[in-house]
Amino acid sequence: MPELSRFFGIIIVMYPEIGGQHSRPHFHAKYQDAEVVISVDKIEILAGELPRKQSRLVIAWAEIHQEELKIDWDLLQKGKQPIKIKPLSK
């Protein structure tokens, strides 16, 4: 499970597609027992739910780092390791 970033108790991970599924580029954000899947091409929630505050933080982070997320998606699909992305800070 390649971890891309971690901030305010939120863990951002991205997985390579298995078997060439070619789904929409996305990442997962986990906070406590909650998890959400967010698309990379258009920053939007595809599945799941986080508490409102954490959801807003993840969306803001993703908008700031959208290009880096796209690069990491491509790297993972080529079997390479993603590059860590700077977390949000206070």
Side-chain angles (χ1 to χ4, degrees), residues 7-90:
F7 50 90
F8 304 120
I10 302 164
I11 301 169
I12 307 293
V13 297
M14 187 180 279
Y15 305 99
E17 292 295 303
I18 298 172
Q21 294 174 341
H22 302 295
S23 66
R24 189 171 176 188
H26 63 278
F27 66 93
H28 300 248
K30 300 176 181 188
Y31 178 76
Q32 296 178 350
D33 292 334
E35 183 173 348
V36 68
V37 179
I38 299 179
S39 65
V40 171
D41 53 349
K42 179 181 177 189
I43 305 299
E44 64 183 354
I45 295 173
L46 299 175
E49 189 174 310
L50 292 178
R52 181 180 171 152
K53 179 180 178 181
Q54 284 72 26
S55 181
R56 290 172 52 193
L57 289 170
V58 171
I59 295 294
W61 175 86
E63 288 173 348
I64 292 166
H65 298 287
Q66 187 173 18
E67 291 305 313
E68 293 161 278
L69 287 163
K70 289 177 184 178
I71 290 167
D72 277 347
W73 178 265
D74 290 340
L75 287 170
L76 277 168
Q77 303 326 304
K78 293 175 183 173
K80 298 181 180 180
Q81 286 296 312
I83 300 165
K84 296 274 188 182
I85 300 174
K86 185 177 179 179
L88 284 178
S89 58
K90 294 182 182 179

